[in-house]
Amino acid sequence: MKHVPLFESQNLKLTAVDLEKDSQAIAAWTYDLDIAARMRADHPVRPMAVFEIKTLYESWQKDSDETGRQFLFAIRLRETADGESRIIGVLRISQLEWVHGAAYLDLIIDDPEHWQNYAREALDLALRYVFDELSLFRVTAVIAEHNQPASDLFKLANFTLEVRQRQAVYWNRHAWDKLFYGLLRPEWKMQQLAGETA
């Protein structure tokens, strides 16, 4: 079996979030209503200032350090010839339940073009970390019904729509269903084996 780098793929790599360098870029993403809503799930949607991004990530990192129930990554394009490694997204693995081998996954990518080009690759990196490194048994992704690109991505990656909460998300003056997609480790392993033999 060949060695596969844990944090790198063909076009991307997972790194730590550098709050000094990355906060400005992440704050700029929150002018997208959908990203703003996902960054501040329990608050009214609005763009976030750089200091708010830093505060949010510091609280997430503190929770990660104190409880071991959360992991945060920056999603970056691999270095170009000039040595740049631009952040294009963030990955949050949260609400880990070590006893049950379960966690939630949230994938945010900065713009639709990058989503189209790199979302599947980023998700594959995330799943490799969740199942191979953390040895979890299941992962859940929660999205709003209006987020069709994310819904398509999770279906393509063999996630199953497990729960539909009716009109549980109010976004852009409309009530949408909240969708819970789940993937089990054996399902992911079967997909990996199918990919190796294809």
Side-chain angles (χ1 to χ4, degrees):
M1 183 176 185
K2 71 174 186 174
H3 170 71
V4 179
L6 183 61
F7 299 111
E8 296 184 7
S9 58
Q10 180 179 352
N11 299 298
L12 303 175
K13 63 182 181 178
L14 298 179
T15 72
V17 174
D18 183 332
L19 285 180
E20 295 308 314
K21 294 180 179 177
D22 297 334
S23 295
Q24 189 166 355
I26 297 170
W29 303 346
T30 64
Y31 283 85
D32 177 307
L33 284 179
D34 185 51
I35 292 176
R38 291 168 64 199
M39 296 292 288
R40 298 172 50 88
D42 298 326
H43 298 84
V45 175
R46 64 172 175 77
M48 296 176 70
V50 173
F51 81 88
E52 291 177 295
I53 294 294
K54 287 183 178 179
T55 301
L56 177 65
Y57 270 86
E58 284 167 355
S59 71
W60 285 350
Q61 190 60 53
K62 182 180 179 186
D63 178 67
S64 176
D65 294 342
E66 291 178 354
T67 69
R69 296 185 62 225
Q70 179 161 232
F71 294 88
L72 307 169
F73 296 96
I75 302 166
R76 300 183 192 280
L77 293 174
R78 291 185 64 159
E79 291 179 8
T80 58
D82 60 3
E84 287 296 312
S85 186
R86 180 181 162 203
I87 185 170
I88 64 161
V90 291
L91 166 66
R92 183 177 177 216
I93 300 164
S94 63
Q95 301 179 51
L96 267 79
E97 298 177 343
W98 292 109
V99 171
H100 304 296
Y104 284 77
L105 180 151
D106 192 23
L107 182 66
I108 295 174
I109 294 183
D110 63 350
D111 66 48
E113 183 179 351
H114 281 152
W115 180 274
Q116 183 176 355
N117 292 334
Y118 302 119
R120 180 59 194 264
E121 191 173 339
L123 180 60
D124 287 345
L125 275 172
L127 294 175
R128 193 169 2 145
Y129 186 76
V130 164
F131 291 126
D132 276 349
E133 181 64 19
L134 300 182
S135 298
L136 299 183
F137 184 74
R138 69 168 291 127
V139 66
T140 302
V142 182
I143 63 170
E145 178 186 22
H146 65 79
N147 191 345
Q148 193 60 50
S151 184
D152 292 342
L153 172 69
F154 293 124
K155 289 175 185 173
L156 185 64
N158 206 30
F159 279 68
T160 298
L161 177 59
E162 297 176 329
V163 175
R164 176 185 289 270
Q165 286 184 334
R166 296 174 301 152
Q167 299 187 356
V169 176
Y170 185 77
W171 182 83
N172 203 16
R173 299 180 302 190
H174 187 71
W176 303 85
D177 293 353
K178 184 183 286 188
L179 308 179
F180 291 71
Y181 283 95
L183 181 68
L184 305 181
R185 180 187 177 92
E187 296 167 340
W188 178 76
K189 281 288 189 190
M190 288 293 290
Q191 194 173 25
Q192 300 309 296
L193 291 172
E196 289 176 8
T197 58

